[in-house]
Amino acid sequence: MIDAQEARSWKSAAQLYNSAVAASAIGAAWELGALDELQDEGALDAHEFAARNDLDPAATLAMFRALAAVNIVERDGTRVTPAADFAEIQQTRSFFHWLTRGSGELFRQMPLVLQNQHRKGEIDPRDPAAVTYACREINTLTYDPWFWSAVDGIDFDFTMVADLGCGNGDRLIKILGRRPGANGIGIDIAADSLKVAESDAAGAGLSDRLTFVTSDVRTMDRRPEFTEVELLTCFMMGHDFWPRERCVATLARIRELFPNVKRFLLGDATRTVGTADQELPVFTLGFEVAHDMMGVFLPTVADWESAFAESGWRVRHKHAIDMTVGEVIFELEPA
């Protein structure tokens, strides 16, 4: 017979275990449209939802059971409704998708990744398409309001903008939509992402105003059109510039490649300082542990500021977001 303390321990273990299962269910329910349907309709039938979306009914009900186990939904047979924690999970769903769908293989490989014999070359077994899928909404939640505030506050009428690490070009397309007199250049190392960007730019009627360059921002060559750029943007790839010596060199090189830039908006996560492990908000622990496992250095705000000073940039304004991963948008100008 177990005593009260042992019973509490078993209950805690069950909650932790069930939460791990539910994390995957959150990512799946978002990707399959179940979370949005519950928010919009207030209820759904699991078997009917499965039939309508060509899903296995037993497996679909199992997904909702996992959500019900941690109070995200309530389940009465096959009828599913939002529960106490639904609204918070609906807002943060992309973080769970990033963890389980985008980075699941990295965490599965943790016992191997920690061994020095396996830490040769680049360590990144993540699913890039799933990471991109999640990050699109993560950016909307954590960066967009502050980004557009920074753009709207720019005190000059720029005619050429370049986005470093532009991905699918979404940011550039939105900027040009708001600035009809401007043209743009998107730069990214991933050719597949730029194919999507070109297609989306054509769909938005911007093919004549947007060009895309396949290149590694850290090593790219000079191009004549770079001299026309007045506004630079770079989001969620700046930590790839590090460690410090390489970061300083990259920032200085960017300053040389774009000699007429007036403003540089660099947004990125920063490593937490002074927060206890037990008090970290949603996403922070996963993001920092994942990058530590991959051997990617995450700079603090102070690290960034010292690198700017050494590489020819001055911090004009610092937009501290600090929602989950110490997000900051540095508004820079040439020193």
Side-chain angles (χ1 to χ4, degrees), residues 99-134:
L99 178 69
T100 60
R101 289 278 282 140
S103 305
E105 181 62 17
L106 174 64
F107 284 93
R108 191 184 75 82
Q109 295 284 358
M110 187 182 287
L112 298 179
V113 170
L114 268 59
Q115 298 176 42
N116 286 326
Q117 62 178 316
H118 299 300
R119 300 186 69 79
K120 297 180 176 68
E122 182 178 283
I123 303 169
D124 191 356
R126 297 179 301 170
D127 182 332
V131 169
T132 298
Y133 184 92

Side-chain angles (χ1 to χ4, degrees), residues 157-187:
D157 188 19
F158 59 88
T159 58
M160 180 66 80
V161 54
D163 189 24
L164 309 179
C166 68
N168 65 1
D170 183 64
R171 187 174 299 103
L172 279 172
I173 290 171
K174 289 178 179 177
I175 290 174
L176 298 197
R178 296 165 70 128
R179 297 278 182 142
N183 295 318
I185 304 170
I187 304 162

Side-chain angles (χ1 to χ4, degrees), residues 3-75:
D3 59 23
Q5 178 60 44
E6 190 175 0
R8 284 193 295 271
S9 297
W10 275 94
K11 184 175 182 180
S12 295
Q15 289 174 336
L16 182 61
Y17 188 94
N18 294 347
S19 295
V21 177
S24 293
I26 292 166
W30 174 38
E31 191 171 329
L32 294 170
L35 295 182
D36 285 335
E37 184 165 329
L38 281 169
Q39 178 172 278
D40 294 341
E41 303 298 330
L44 61 78
D45 181 85
H47 285 174
E48 192 276 331
F49 179 84
R52 182 159 30 92
N53 292 281
D54 193 24
L55 307 174
D56 180 83
T60 302
L61 184 60
M63 177 185 71
F64 288 116
R65 286 188 65 206
L67 298 178
V70 291
N71 298 315
I72 298 169
V73 302
E74 293 181 352
R75 186 178 68 86

Side-chain angles (χ1 to χ4, degrees), residues 156 158-164 172 183-187 211 223-233 254-255 257-264 313 334:
F156 60 90
F158 59 88
T159 58
M160 180 66 80
V161 54
D163 189 24
L164 309 179
L172 279 172
N183 295 318
I185 304 170
I187 304 162
T211 58
R223 297 174 68 98
E225 59 267 39
F226 288 174
T227 62
E228 302 173 29
V229 174
E230 299 156 296
L231 172 65
L232 269 177
T233 61
I254 290 171
R255 178 71 187 87
L257 291 174
F258 300 91
N260 295 310
V261 161
K262 297 179 181 178
R263 205 66 47 80
F264 182 10
W313 296 95

Side-chain angles (χ1 to χ4, degrees), residues 1 15 22 56 64 99 104 123 151 179 189 217 240 243 252 268 271-272 277 309:
M1 182 175 180
Q15 289 174 336
D56 180 83
F64 288 116
L99 178 69
I123 303 169
V151 170
R179 297 278 182 142
I189 196 172
V217 169
D240 292 332
D268 214 325
R271 184 173 290 278
T272 53
D277 293 341

Side-chain angles (χ1 to χ4, degrees), residues 237-257:
M237 72 157 289
H239 51 271
D240 292 332
F241 297 169
W242 291 77
R244 180 185 171 77
E245 183 177 346
R246 185 175 70 184
C247 181
V248 171
T250 299
L251 290 170
R253 175 70 170 162
I254 290 171
R255 178 71 187 87
E256 294 174 358
L257 291 174

